[in-house]
Structure formats: C-alpha cells, structure tokens
Amino acid sequence: DMKVTQMPRYLIKRMGENVLLECGQDMSHETMYWYRQDPGLGLQLIYISYDVDSNSEGDIPKGYRVSRKKREHFSLILDSAKTNQTSVYFCASSFGGANTGQLYFGEGSKLTVL
Amino acid sequence: AQKVTQTQTSISVMEKTTVTMDCVYETQDSSYFLFWYKQTASGEIVFLIRQDSYKKENATVGHYSLNFQKPKSSIGLIITATQIEDSAVYFCAMREGGGGADRLTFGKGTQLIIQP
C-alpha cells in the first residue's frame, strides 16, 4: 500500500518522562529516517538507519536514540524528555541506491513536553 | 558539508499564473541529487520532482518543472497554471553522491499562497 505509519500522532509528556515514537513502513525500504520540524527551521535529521541494527547519527542526535530490530519498523526514543524537544517528528523511508532521496514520509507525531 | 538555502520565505500569486521558487545549494561533490518536496496544510509531506546533477535536461513532472543552473548551484522549481491546491510549503533538498551517505539536507522552505 506504500505507506509510512507513525504512532502516536499526538503526545503530551512531562519533563523527565520517557517518550517512544514508533514508525512502520510496508515497502521493505532499506533506509529509514527520523526528522524533527520546528517553525522556521525546516526539517532537521536526527537519525538515519540503513537497515536492521545499522543506525547512524544525523545532524541533531543529542537527547535521542533509535532502535531498528525489523526492517519495517524504526523507533525514536527520548530518555527523560526536555521542554526543548517539543516538536513535530517525522519518520520517512526510502529505497537505497539510486533512488535514495525520494522519501516517503509519515504523517508526523506532534510531541509536547511540559 | 552540504547546505541548502531557500531565501524566499513566502510567495503569493494569482491562480492560473506561473511561479518560480528559488533554491541554491553548496556541495563539494561532483555528483549530487536535488529534490523538491511539498508540505500541505495538513502536514503531509510528499516528493514532487528530482534532478540528478549529471543530467543536463531539466526534469518535468506534470505542471512542475525545474530550472537547473549548475554553474550557479541553483535549482528553481517552476509551477505552471497554478491551482488553489498548490498552496503549500515547498522544500528543496539535496543528497550528495558517494556510498553510504544517504543523507538528505533540506532548506527551510518557501510558503506558496495561491490567490483565487
């Protein structure tokens, strides 16, 4: 069905709580991404995963970690969330090789940290 | 390090006209790939069109086309016969060539408003 699904879509947490954002894709894409989007800043890359257990830091990895145990599933974890992690988080996936860069995005997860 | 710059924060045009959105990039690589994405008011982000640096011909998909000026490190998005539903934020992005990179760097976006 060529879809990237993010859960939950909306989340409110208190500072210091742990956060788990989950992402699934049904296209057997090798590469998956987590971005965050803040007003006026565009999309900033947090982590990139090239396949199962093959993850690499993006441009703003501090305060985040990821897990990819199955090709179709990629999680973003915030241990002890901070108020400046309030943002909209987007998961994306793509084929590797020549088609890398043509990303399929999820609908986003809006996280508010109080 | 690669960098993508969109200087136009917001553009407003009348329906059925043609609009161009600018994007300039910086890269040390001789091989790279350029993309445009559209984000609608609902937040959905979709891929529109791509240009591979080694291709001289400008890419065209439907009423989207690109103005690739390699000497100026510029990749403009042209939308012809604009429609109300083209109102959105448009992001330019670049991926450098080279194995294992796979990183896509985005510009900050241009908001396009189509007036009826």
Side-chain angles (χ1 to χ4, degrees):
Chain A
D1 198 28
M2 298 179 72
K3 193 172 174 66
V4 177
T5 303
Q6 290 185 233
M7 292 291 289
R9 295 288 315 284
Y10 301 92
L11 189 61
I12 299 175
K13 288 285 192 177
R14 296 199 177 277
M15 193 167 59
E17 292 185 327
N18 298 332
V19 176
L20 173 64
L21 302 180
E22 302 196 86
C23 175
Q25 49 99 359
D26 61 2
M27 297 166 277
S28 295
H29 283 165
E30 300 162 354
T31 310
M32 296 186 75
Y33 310 77
W34 277 107
Y35 284 90
R36 67 176 278 177
Q37 184 178 34
D38 301 294
L41 293 182
L43 291 156
Q44 299 177 84
L45 180 64
I46 305 171
Y47 266 94
I48 181 172
S49 174
Y50 298 104
D51 213 327
V52 172
D53 284 330
S54 179
N55 306 317
S56 182
E57 293 181 347
D59 299 319
I60 54 163
K62 187 177 180 181
Y64 304 94
R65 60 184 175 94
V66 292
S67 175
R68 192 167 180 201
K69 298 300 182 184
K70 294 182 179 180
R71 177 172 277 195
E72 63 270 19
H73 192 253
F74 190 35
S75 300
L76 180 69
I77 301 133
L78 288 67
D79 296 314
S80 188
K82 300 174 180 54
T83 54
N84 62 6
Q85 292 177 308
T86 292
S87 188
V88 180
Y89 292 86
F90 284 94
C91 175
S93 70
S94 77
F95 288 112
N99 287 321
T100 301
Q102 290 179 221
L103 271 55
Y104 292 80
F105 280 88
E107 295 171 304
S109 296
K110 185 173 183 179
L111 171 66
T112 302
V113 182
L114 302 175
Chain B
Q2 57 188 24
K3 186 178 178 182
V4 177
T5 303
Q6 296 177 254
T7 56
Q8 300 157 306
T9 306
S10 182
I11 301 174
S12 180
V13 300
M14 299 300 293
E15 190 180 11
K16 300 178 185 175
T17 61
T18 296
V19 63
T20 299
M21 282 173 275
D22 300 328
C23 175
V24 293
Y25 56 89
E26 296 176 23
T27 179
Q28 303 299 320
D29 275 18
S30 57
S31 173
Y32 49 91
F33 308 86
L34 301 160
F35 304 83
W36 280 89
Y37 284 82
K38 172 184 179 181
Q39 184 173 33
T40 62
S42 68
E44 182 187 20
I45 303 172
V46 294
F47 162 76
L48 292 178
I49 192 169
R50 70 181 278 174
Q51 179 79 40
D52 298 348
S53 64
Y54 60 88
K55 293 185 177 179
K56 293 185 179 179
E57 199 170 297
N58 289 322
T60 298
V61 176
H63 76 145
Y64 302 108
S65 61
L66 296 177
N67 179 18
F68 180 41
Q69 298 185 60
K70 198 169 182 178
K72 294 184 179 181
S73 297
S74 170
I75 183 76
L77 173 67
I78 303 166
I79 307 176
T80 57
T82 52
Q83 303 160 14
I84 298 296
E85 50 266 36
D86 291 324
S87 295
V89 178
Y90 290 81
F91 291 98
C92 177
M94 177 174 67
R95 177 177 78 87
E96 290 176 327
D102 291 358
R103 290 166 181 251
L104 202 61
T105 299
F106 285 84
K108 294 184 178 180
T110 296
Q111 181 169 30
L112 176 63
I113 300 166
I114 307 297
Q115 306 269 14

